[in-house]
């Protein structure tokens, strides 16, 4: 028999720092990852990311442990390069994979240390 806990607000152990459950459900990141700048990427920290797929130079797939309910949620990304890069393009490829691409100002792909964060509803 399954049980459930119904609450409106969560608080820390001392009764402070309250947050509405709707904020946790709707406003929290559902996946994030930071990858190395090596040609073969690896995660240095992650949440809800089971593994990475090297999809080519500067192109990485972040395979989710728990899929999203669809592939339309927002994904944001950043890299550690301070100049010479256009930045990171990130999106959901499918409901179970985020994808990032890092490009230089000459439009060539490049491997960089990248962080991505995905939002939406889990399936």
């Amino acid at each position: 028999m399954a049980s459930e806990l119904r609450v409106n607000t969560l608080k820390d152990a001392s009764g402070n720092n309250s947050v509405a459950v709707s904020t946790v459900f709707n406003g929290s990141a559902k996946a994030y990852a930071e990858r190395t700048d090596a040609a073969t990427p690896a995660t240095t920290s992650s949440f809800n990311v089971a593994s990475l797929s090297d999809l080519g130079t500067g192109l990485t797939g972040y395979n989710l442990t728990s899929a999203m309910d669809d592939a339309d949620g927002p994904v944001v990304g950043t890299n550690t390069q301070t100049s010479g890069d256009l930045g990171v393009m990130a999106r959901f490829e499918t409901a179970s994979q985020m994808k990032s691409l890092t490009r230089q100002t000459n439009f060539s792909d490049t491997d960089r240390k990248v962080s991505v964060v995905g939002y939406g509803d889990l399936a």
Side-chain angles (χ1 to χ4, degrees):
M1 172 186 233
S3 62
E4 64 182 53
L5 179 63
R6 295 181 184 208
V7 298
N8 294 320
T9 305
L10 298 174
K11 294 185 177 188
D12 65 19
S14 63
N16 300 312
N17 303 311
S18 66
V19 63
V21 174
S22 61
T23 299
V24 174
F25 182 76
N26 295 321
S28 300
K30 301 304 189 284
Y32 70 80
E34 180 179 33
R35 62 152 278 179
T36 60
D37 60 356
T40 303
T43 57
T44 56
S45 67
S46 67
F47 170 71
N48 193 26
V49 173
S51 62
L52 299 181
S53 296
D54 186 358
L55 304 173
T57 303
L59 188 58
T60 305
Y62 304 83
N63 305 304
L64 302 181
T65 304
S66 297
M68 307 301 284
D69 68 347
D70 62 43
D72 293 328
V75 178
V76 295
T78 187
N79 67 22
T80 58
Q81 186 68 13
T82 57
S83 64
D85 281 353
L86 293 174
V88 176
M89 294 168 267
R91 64 182 178 97
F92 280 107
E93 178 68 9
T94 65
S96 47
Q97 186 184 67
M98 297 185 296
K99 193 175 185 179
S100 71
L101 173 64
T102 305
R103 288 235 163 126
Q104 299 178 91
T105 53
N106 66 3
F107 296 102
S108 64
D109 300 342
T110 183
D111 289 316
R112 294 280 188 240
K113 185 174 181 181
V114 171
S115 298
V116 294
V117 181
Y119 297 89
D121 294 330
L122 295 174

